[in-house]
Amino acid sequence: MIRTPTSVRTSARRTSAKRTELRKRNYLPILFDFSVPATWDITETISLLARMARFVVADITDAKSIPQELSMVVPDMPSVPVQPLLLEGSAEYGMFEHFKRYPWVLETYRYPSSEHLIAGLAEHVIGPAEDYARSVRGATPARQTSSR
């Protein structure tokens, strides 16, 4: 599942490129950019999707609703790693430090541009998330990750 704040959404071409890169690696990306059913609110929908996801990618650059969504996802889902992303030159939002205490919230990947993010998706986003998911399931990680 990919969560990107509205104010920093990339162009349709770049969003498509992210989805394509994930599909090449046999993932079914869900980019939350659609209307929710009238009987559910956005937070409930995000929580449901996160419970079904192998991992969550959350771009916290200029975050607006993502802090609320993460507060519903992170504390209760230790088997779903969350890979935060942040555009270089931006600061994490003030209360994000709270989530860093959870080991399934991975080290924030700071990317210089959307092109670099797409090019480094396997190494900097998918790899760490998969390594954590494997460790939770008792499997050996594919590669060593650095500790914080």
Side-chain angles (χ1 to χ4, degrees):
M1 184 169 102
I2 304 171
R3 184 63 175 118
T4 306
T6 305
S7 59
V8 294
R9 283 214 171 104
T10 55
S11 70
R13 181 180 56 79
R14 289 188 183 141
T15 298
S16 178
K18 288 177 193 174
R19 286 181 173 168
T20 299
E21 283 300 310
L22 286 165
R23 284 187 184 110
K24 283 181 190 176
R25 291 166 174 81
N26 295 319
Y27 292 97
L28 177 61
I30 300 171
L31 179 66
F32 188 76
D33 61 355
F34 50 86
S35 299
V36 297
T39 57
W40 290 44
D41 67 20
I42 292 172
T43 304
E44 288 175 317
T45 303
I46 292 289
S47 180
L48 175 66
L49 292 171
R51 290 177 192 283
M52 295 186 297
R54 183 155 176 92
F55 56 85
V56 172
V57 177
D59 193 324
I60 59 171
T61 306
D62 195 28
K64 300 273 190 272
S65 63
I66 290 176
Q68 165 67 22
E69 295 159 7
L70 289 177
S71 72
M72 299 303 293
V73 169
V74 170
D76 298 328
M77 294 185 220
S79 63
V80 179
V82 175
Q83 177 60 69
L85 307 176
L86 187 65
L87 181 63
E88 280 184 6
S90 301
E92 294 174 345
Y93 63 88
M95 300 301 286
F96 183 74
E97 59 83 25
H98 169 78
F99 296 117
K100 290 181 178 183
R101 73 175 76 176
Y102 296 95
W104 51 93
V105 175
L106 307 175
E107 188 171 340
T108 301
Y109 173 57
R110 297 172 189 276
Y111 61 96
S113 67
S114 291
E115 291 80 10
H116 281 90
L117 175 59
I118 292 164
L121 203 63
E123 179 182 357
H124 300 291
V125 178
I126 296 171
E130 282 292 353
D131 285 348
Y132 185 85
R134 278 193 275 290
S135 73
V136 168
R137 290 166 183 81
T140 304
R143 60 188 178 88
Q144 293 293 329
T145 57
S146 63
S147 59
R148 287 189 236 192

